[in-house]
Amino acid sequence: MPATAAKEATFMNTDLPLLAGLPYRVANLDADTVRFGRKELDLALVEMPGLAALREEYAGKKPLEGAKIMGSLHMTVQTAVLIETLVELGADVRWVSCNIFSTQDHAAAATVVGPNGTADDPKGVPVYAWKGETLPEYWWCTLQALIWPDGSGPNLILDDGGDATLLVHMGSEYEASGTIPAVDSTDNEELQCVLQVLHDVRQAKGDKFWQTMAASIRGVSEETTTGVHRLYERVENGTLLFPAINVNDSVTKSKFDNVYGCRHSLVDAIMRATDVLIAGKKALVCGFGDVGKGSVQSLQGQSARVAVSEVDPICALQACMLGLDVVRVEDVAQDFDIFVTTTGNKSIIGVEQMKQMKHNAIVCNIGHFDNEIDIGDLEKLVASGEVEKIEIKPQVHEYKFKNTSHGPNGGGHSILILAEGRLVNLGCATGHPSFVMSASFTNQVMAQIELHKNAESYGKSVTVLPKHLDEKVARLHLAKFGAQLTELTEEQAKYIGVPVAGPYKAEHYRY
């Protein structure tokens, strides 16, 4: 890490100046770490045909020239390929992870160094991310990635979960109102960090910093369900400050990332974390949307006995049609060995259910944020002495209940919490495979190009990429499988009322 400037006031407990002006902040730039990261990037690009095709299509054309893109998305090997694709297309990029546990440190190092730099002479992209950040460090990193060396901000955001978008909006709204809530007005640790950032920035930069930054942002492309939900809420209440493209609901994102990605990476994470045999275990998947569907397939692939919980009657009926039991968490907490939350909602599994669980039941989340499992209330029991928290290894903790009687020899039972309730596939494994992320990230690049060209035509709205671009993303990946598409004749196309070259489905079609 580069040395910090002269000692000054630091942000919360990070020992880092609020406005540090550092060119990057990663775990390390050791030559071996950089070499490992670069080799993984080279291998990943072969498995990311969509991004490779966009690099070829736009070679020498620089469609993102003039774009200043702040990215807030898991700093993985696959993300590094995305970042370097944006750079090849002409963008000026700064990056932060969107999760305190998801960074792959060798990928971050390789991205900072770049394809033409060295550990001693980095020539890549400013990255502020390392695995195992604290929450204050996480929000510090987000702020650093939003501020360019000349003090300006981005003109585009590439977001995953909406944290960068949230910070800009909250900062702008509190500047407009003239009042920022006190940090101790909430007991939510993450919100406390956000409020502290806003108070400290106001003190350092005055009361127009965020409004000035927001005015320069032409749009955001959002990667995931929760972030998209936040955006639609802002449209409904009239507070969205700039156009947004909903990447999550492109079919080649939602089905491929959420279904097929989770199908691959959920059991990978559970097995890396615990080494338990999944076959024969009873597993409860909370939620049967796209992420839940992929998670069920993942567990069934290891011959687990799977049930789901659902609030949506259509999703519940789909589960029934696949022979899955649909149950309520509170009714069966004592019966299952593995619990996986996938909903994007909050308080799906609470401490009352945890108290009932089998000894050494495994509890994890593959939804975006950390509030599906009620870790906050569980930590309160730790603080009061009712539960003992034991680290088995990083991102794997045993919580031993002292006042229950269904553990060994009639004593207290334990449960195993993975990744502290955050994304288990990124906290305990390496996330989705490169090919799946190629589909997601090809959508992201096309969304960024569209915003850079035409943001003002969208107004303050949330838009899904048009169907023909969704089909383009799919086409770019078919050759990897040797797939040969059938071609419609003019007569056939006329008969079903579609163009010969597509798109082939109506916008309302559900794949």
Side-chain angles (χ1 to χ4, degrees), residues 20-319:
L22 298 175
Y24 59 86
R25 182 82 177 188
V26 296
N28 68 75
L29 288 187
D30 293 344
D32 286 344
T33 302
V34 173
R35 181 205 60 79
F36 178 32
R38 179 52 52 187
K39 190 59 184 175
E40 290 250 273
L41 264 68
D42 292 343
L43 294 172
L45 181 57
V46 177
E47 279 287 298
M48 303 185 84
L51 293 185
L54 289 179
R55 292 184 185 193
E56 183 177 348
E57 177 181 349
Y58 291 109
K61 298 178 182 177
K62 304 294 183 186
L64 288 172
E65 188 169 8
K68 297 167 64 183
I69 300 173
M70 183 276 189
S72 174
L73 193 152
H74 309 283
M75 185 59 252
T76 66
V77 166
Q78 292 73 32
T79 302
V81 178
L82 165 64
I83 292 168
E84 294 189 350
T85 300
L86 296 169
V87 171
E88 281 203 25
L89 271 54
D92 180 5
V93 181
R94 296 170 69 83
W95 213 264
V96 65
S97 181
C98 63
N99 183 300
I100 63 175
F101 295 134
S102 65
T103 296
Q104 295 166 10
D105 288 325
H106 62 307
T111 305
V112 166
V113 169
N116 301 311
T118 66
D120 294 328
D121 184 20
K123 294 181 178 179
V125 168
V127 173
Y128 305 87
W130 58 93
K131 191 175 183 71
E133 299 161 6
T134 65
L135 284 174
E137 287 170 341
Y138 171 81
W139 286 101
W140 177 89
C141 287
T142 302
L143 180 64
Q144 309 315 301
L146 280 165
I147 304 175
W148 263 247
D150 64 0
S152 66
N155 55 31
L156 293 172
I157 293 175
L158 195 160
D159 220 345
D160 185 355
D163 279 353
T165 305
L166 174 76
L167 190 60
V168 173
H169 277 77
M170 286 183 67
S172 299
E173 288 162 1
Y174 289 143
E175 283 179 350
S177 70
T179 303
I180 305 172
V183 173
D184 62 5
S185 64
T186 176
D187 59 2
N188 181 292
E189 183 182 0
E190 190 146 22
L191 183 53
Q192 289 175 346
C193 295
V194 173
L195 293 174
Q196 191 66 63
V197 167
L198 298 180
H199 279 287
D200 289 359
V201 167
R202 173 170 287 185
Q203 184 174 0
K205 291 288 190 178
D207 59 3
K208 294 294 183 182
F209 175 84
W210 295 107
Q211 292 175 88
T212 301
M213 179 181 288
S216 298
I217 297 173
R218 301 177 62 230
V220 58
S221 58
E222 171 55 50
E223 174 81 1
T224 200
T225 307
T226 309
V228 165
H229 178 68
R230 284 177 169 179
L231 291 169
Y232 281 121
E233 281 186 334
R234 288 197 171 275
V235 171
E236 289 173 9
N237 61 32
T239 61
L240 186 64
L241 296 175
F242 36 76
I245 290 182
N246 168 4
V247 168
N248 180 72
D249 288 327
S250 293
V251 178
T252 46
K253 194 282 180 184
S254 60
K255 298 299 180 185
F256 288 76
D257 182 326
N258 296 350
V259 178
Y260 308 129
C262 293
R263 183 176 71 185
H264 174 99
S265 62
L266 173 61
V267 293
D268 180 31
I270 294 173
M271 291 189 289
R272 290 194 199 210
T274 66
D275 292 319
V276 300
L277 179 70
I278 293 177
K281 296 285 195 305
K282 294 185 69 175
L284 178 63
V285 175
C286 301
F288 198 61
D290 285 336
V291 174
K293 289 177 173 68
S295 298
V296 166
Q297 291 178 26
S298 186
L299 292 159
Q300 286 178 325
Q302 288 295 316
S303 298
R305 295 180 289 163
V306 186
V308 303
S309 65
E310 250 302 340
V311 299
D312 186 321
I314 296 175
C315 292
L317 185 59
Q318 287 181 310

Side-chain angles (χ1 to χ4, degrees), residues 317-373:
L317 185 59
Q318 287 181 310
C320 291
M321 295 300 289
L322 292 174
L324 299 167
D325 289 333
V326 180
V327 299
R328 293 180 295 195
V329 178
E330 59 269 27
D331 294 338
V332 299
Q334 69 276 12
D335 297 330
F336 282 75
D337 305 290
I338 300 170
F339 298 82
V340 183
T341 58
T342 74
T343 69
N345 207 330
K346 62 182 291 188
S347 303
I348 306 304
I349 294 177
V351 292
E352 291 307 311
Q353 287 85 51
M354 298 179 205
K355 289 178 181 178
Q356 300 172 42
M357 289 177 181
K358 290 181 178 180
H359 180 60
N360 283 0
I362 297 166
V363 184
C364 62
N365 167 52
I366 198 168
H368 191 81
F369 289 120
D370 65 338
N371 55 4
E372 297 202 37
I373 302 164

Side-chain angles (χ1 to χ4, degrees), residues 352 355 377-389 399-404 412-413:
E352 291 307 311
K355 289 178 181 178
D377 281 352
L378 184 59
E379 290 290 346
K380 290 177 182 177
L381 295 182
V382 173
S384 71
E386 297 177 62
V387 173
E388 181 183 3
K389 180 180 180 181
Y399 284 82
K400 186 173 182 179
F401 288 78
K402 298 180 180 180
N403 299 326
T404 57
H413 77 296

Side-chain angles (χ1 to χ4, degrees), residues 470-482:
D470 225 344
E471 290 185 357
K472 178 181 177 178
V473 173
R475 286 181 187 277
L476 293 176
H477 291 82
L478 286 174
K480 190 73 174 177
F481 296 110

